[in-house]
Amino acid sequence: INVGSARVEDCRFFDNISNGSGGAIFTLGPPTEPEGITAPLILNSIFAGNSAAQLGGAIFNNTARPRIVNCTIYGNTAGDAGGGAGNFQSSTSITNSILWDNSEARTDLLGASDVTFSVVQGGFSGTSNFGDDPQFVNPGLRNFRLLATSPAIDAGRGASSSAFGNGIDDIEGRPRGLDVRTLPPTSSPPSPCTTWPPAQSGSGHIPRGSRQP
C-alpha cells in the first residue's frame, strides 16, 4: 500500500511469504508529508502463517500511519524482528486485536505502536491490554473463534465510530455486541462500551480483533 487511505476489510491472509519485509502487507509512505500520507485502515481481518525474511511477519509499516482494528495476528514469523508487525518511522494504531504465537528474534511488535484493548503475548503497555492466552477454538485448523472461557470476550472497546472504521459487524457479517456469558448473581453485565466482538465456541463469533475469526 503506497500512499493513500486504503481500506482492507474482512480479509484472511494465510501463508504468504516475503523475501524482504511485510509477509502479508507492506505499507509505504512518502519521504515527506507534503507529498501525501499512507494511512490505511485494516479492519476485521486475520493474518496467520505469514512470514518475512526481514521485518514484520504479517505487516510491515514504513513511514506510514495505519490503523489496525479488530484483527487477529497469529503464528507469523520474521527473520529479524516484529513477528506480528514491524514499524519504521511509522505511527501505528492497534485496537481490539489479538497478537499471539508470532515468532522472531525479538518481539511481536517492533517500533512505535499505540496499542489499546488488545491481547499481546508477553504483554504490551497501553490502555486495557493484557497478555493472557486468548483461547482460540483450534488455531491449527484456522478456527480463531474464542472458547467460552476466553478472557478476551467482551474485553474490547466499542469500535462503531468512524475513528475505528465503523466496525459494526464482524468478519462473518454478524453484528458486534456483548456476548451472553454466565455471570455470578452479584455481577453486573459488562459495559456496552467495552464490547469486543470475539466469539464463543460453537457460537459462530470470533475474537475481538477479528471476530470470526
Side-chain angles (χ1 to χ4, degrees), residues 118-185:
S118 294
V119 178
V120 181
Q121 189 167 8
F124 198 88
S125 61
T127 302
S128 298
N129 296 324
F130 59 94
D132 298 335
D133 186 345
Q135 299 181 29
F136 295 121
V137 171
N138 192 335
L141 295 179
R142 301 285 164 81
N143 184 343
F144 293 102
R145 293 181 178 86
L146 300 178
L147 295 171
T149 54
S150 169
I153 293 176
D154 296 331
R157 58 151 295 153
S160 60
S161 69
S162 59
F164 298 97
N166 299 307
I168 297 174
D169 298 329
D170 68 15
I171 194 173
E172 293 184 339
R174 293 177 174 82
R176 291 185 178 278
L178 291 172
D179 291 296
V180 177
R181 303 178 70 182
T182 302
L183 299 172

Side-chain angles (χ1 to χ4, degrees), residues 153-154 176-180 189-196 205 211:
I153 293 176
D154 296 331
R176 291 185 178 278
L178 291 172
D179 291 296
V180 177
S191 166
C193 59
T194 56
T195 50
W196 158 332
H205 302 160
R211 179 142 155 158

Side-chain angles (χ1 to χ4, degrees), residues 13 23 32 36 64 73 98 128 186:
F13 297 88
T32 58
I73 301 175
I98 298 175
S128 298
T186 56

Side-chain angles (χ1 to χ4, degrees), residues 101-133:
D101 202 27
N102 299 291
S103 171
E104 40 59 69
R106 280 176 276 172
T107 179
D108 260 354
L109 294 162
L110 168 70
S113 296
D114 177 22
V115 182
T116 59
F117 295 93
S118 294
V119 178
V120 181
Q121 189 167 8
F124 198 88
S125 61
T127 302
S128 298
N129 296 324
F130 59 94
D132 298 335
D133 186 345

Side-chain angles (χ1 to χ4, degrees), residues 7-163:
R7 184 182 179 104
V8 178
E9 183 173 7
D10 297 338
C11 294
R12 294 172 173 84
F13 297 88
F14 295 157
D15 303 324
N16 297 284
I17 299 173
S18 170
N19 292 326
S21 295
I25 290 181
F26 188 119
T27 68
L28 177 64
T32 58
E33 285 199 3
E35 299 176 38
I37 62 172
T38 298
L41 170 67
I42 303 171
L43 176 67
N44 279 2
S45 294
I46 310 170
F47 298 80
N50 304 288
S51 64
Q54 298 175 352
L55 306 170
I59 303 169
F60 182 69
N61 306 301
N62 188 335
T63 59
R65 299 180 182 179
R67 290 176 293 158
I68 299 171
V69 181
N70 292 342
C71 288
T72 293
I73 301 175
Y74 174 90
N76 304 280
T77 62
D80 291 335
N87 300 298
F88 174 75
Q89 295 183 353
S90 295
S91 177
T92 302
S93 170
I94 300 176
T95 303
N96 285 10
S97 294
I98 298 175
L99 290 94
W100 200 261
D101 202 27
N102 299 291
S103 171
E104 40 59 69
R106 280 176 276 172
T107 179
D108 260 354
L109 294 162
L110 168 70
S113 296
D114 177 22
V115 182
T116 59
F117 295 93
S118 294
V119 178
V120 181
Q121 189 167 8
F124 198 88
S125 61
T127 302
S128 298
N129 296 324
F130 59 94
D132 298 335
D133 186 345
Q135 299 181 29
F136 295 121
V137 171
N138 192 335
L141 295 179
R142 301 285 164 81
N143 184 343
F144 293 102
R145 293 181 178 86
L146 300 178
L147 295 171
T149 54
S150 169
I153 293 176
D154 296 331
R157 58 151 295 153
S160 60
S161 69
S162 59

